[in-house]
Every structure is written in structure tokens, then in C-alpha cells.
Amino acid sequence: DSGVTQTPKHLITATGQRVTLRCSPRSGDLSVYWYQQSLDQGLQFLIQYYNGEERAKGNILERFSAQQFPDLHSELNLSSLELGDSALYFCASSAPTGPDEQFFGPGTRLTVL
Amino acid sequence: AQSVAQPEDQVNVAEGNPLTVKCTYSVSGNPYLFWYVQYPNRGLQFLLKYITGDNLVKGSYGFEAEFNKSQTSFHLKKPSALVSDSALYFCAVRANNAGNMLTFGGGTRLMVKP
């Protein structure tokens, strides 16, 4: 168990809908990262937050947004969902200082029908 | 831009034999390199990392990796494979001047047969 929690584990929804994925980092970690894992695109970095502020942006679509709250949990919002958004979404966290490894949550499997 | 290549989609090895999973990278600046393992329906688990220092890095579950700067490689190795090592392995890199964004390779499926 990495200490990173994600809810829900599974999400099934229809095209055009909006969903919210939630992540709680390890105790003491200030950084939260979101990744998307799909068969065709592999594992792709979406966005990073550090202590409530956006720190880095990767291949995140404009239909997607994220935020990190004062208690350091983070939410990834996916809107106007398309079939191609079906994927595993991982959250990871890392220690506040140094080039430390990222610890990954169990993921949320999103299925868009 | 940084990138990682894992040239083998799958590696097959017999239990008890040594294993190698290959990884090459491209970054500007000095690299920070990581290996992760993913079991079915699970998140990624950290195995080991290279930041600086000794080129041979030892990690969890008996795995080790060798950093080779001239060949820009960071191959994962284990002297004696176990059936339970069968999983998906990911190599990742970030430059030391590029924030914490990790770039992952496409993954290599390791199959260890009894």
C-alpha cells in the first residue's frame, strides 16, 4: 500500500457527461500528480499541483481540469467525455523536497460508453 | 524534451535465470531515472531510482539497475527471476532541471515461466 488513495475505483458513464476523480496524497506529501494510462497512449503525465498551486502541465485536454485543496487532496474533473477518454487515471504524490520518487495510488478505471 | 524507450514489448525468461529489461533515455541535463512495476489491476510500485553516485543501484525485491551515461541506458536486472516477478515494468526519466514531471517508457511485460 503506497499510502495514496483514490476514489472511486471504477466509474462507468456516458459520452458527454462530467465526472470527478478524487485523490488523497501520502501524509506529508505536498505534490500531487495525475496520469492517464491507456492502451494506445501509454502512461501520460497530465498535471502536477504543489501545495495548492499548479506546478506543471503535460498532455492535458482543455476539457480536463484539476485542483488541489487546502487539505492537499486533489480532484481531476473530466467533462464532455468521449469514448477515447476511457482509461486508467492514476494519482501520485511525492515528498516536499528533493528528486524523490512518486508514489502511485491504485487508480480509477473510467469507462465511457 | 525528454523521452524514454523500452525496446522490448515483452521479455520471456525461465525461473531462476537472470533477467534484463532494457531502457534508454533522452534528456537535457542530468537525468533522474526510475523503475516502476505494475501488477494486474494495481497502481505502479516504485522499484528503484538513480539520482547520482554509484552507477549500480539496488532496489526492492532483489532488482538492480545500471546507469550508463555514455549509452544513455538504465537497464533493469535481477540475477535470478521468480514467477512472481511477472508483471509490467516501466522506466521513467526526468531532467534535474525540469521540475518533477516524469516521462515514462511504453512498458515491458516480463513473463517468467516455471
Side-chain angles (χ1 to χ4, degrees):
Chain A
D1 184 1
S2 67
V4 178
T5 60
Q6 288 187 249
T7 56
K9 282 189 176 179
H10 303 277
L11 204 46
I12 301 175
T13 189
T15 55
Q17 295 298 305
R18 171 190 166 97
V19 297
T20 297
L21 313 183
R22 182 187 169 103
C23 167
S24 292
R26 293 186 319 158
S27 177
D29 286 356
L30 300 181
S31 279
V32 169
Y33 312 80
W34 286 97
Y35 292 87
Q36 179 195 59
Q37 185 179 31
S38 61
L39 284 175
D40 54 344
Q41 300 278 1
L43 196 59
Q44 294 217 355
F45 168 74
L46 295 178
I47 197 164
Q48 177 200 357
Y49 277 80
Y50 178 84
N51 203 20
E53 300 288 329
E54 182 183 303
R55 178 62 66 92
K57 226 171 186 177
N59 297 322
I60 188 166
L61 300 172
E62 284 192 14
R63 300 183 285 108
F64 296 1
S65 65
Q67 53 184 325
Q68 186 178 27
F69 294 86
D71 66 352
L72 300 177
H73 91 271
S74 177
E75 292 180 357
L76 179 67
N77 300 297
L78 315 176
S79 61
S80 303
L81 285 167
E82 303 175 359
L83 296 177
D85 298 327
S86 295
L88 258 175
Y89 291 84
F90 288 109
C91 168
S93 72
S94 66
T97 59
D100 276 348
E101 60 272 25
Q102 296 175 20
F103 292 88
F104 282 74
T108 293
R109 182 172 292 281
L110 174 66
T111 303
V112 183
L113 301 175
Chain B
Q2 50 196 44
S3 64
V4 177
Q6 293 181 242
E8 303 153 317
D9 288 338
Q10 182 160 317
V11 169
N12 297 310
V13 64
E15 188 175 30
N17 283 1
L19 69 88
T20 299
V21 182
K22 295 179 181 177
C23 169
T24 58
Y25 65 89
S26 174
V27 290
S28 301
N30 292 321
Y32 296 149
L33 294 153
F34 304 83
W35 275 101
Y36 286 84
V37 60
Q38 185 179 27
Y39 296 98
N41 301 313
R42 301 285 295 276
L44 278 72
Q45 294 179 33
F46 169 74
L47 278 180
L48 51 79
K49 66 182 177 184
Y50 171 82
I51 303 300
T52 187
D54 194 349
N55 288 345
L56 184 63
V57 178
K58 294 189 184 296
S60 307
Y61 313 120
F63 284 93
E64 58 189 29
E66 186 166 13
F67 170 63
N68 187 317
K69 188 171 184 177
S70 63
Q71 296 186 4
T72 62
S73 67
F74 189 56
H75 301 331
L76 182 70
K77 301 182 180 186
K78 187 173 182 181
S80 178
L82 300 172
V83 172
S84 57
D85 292 330
S86 299
L88 191 56
Y89 290 80
F90 289 95
C91 180
V93 68
R94 72 172 181 88
N96 65 347
N97 58 357
N100 279 347
M101 188 186 92
L102 284 179
T103 297
F104 284 85
T108 298
R109 185 163 301 281
L110 174 66
M111 298 289 290
V112 182
K113 300 190 176 174

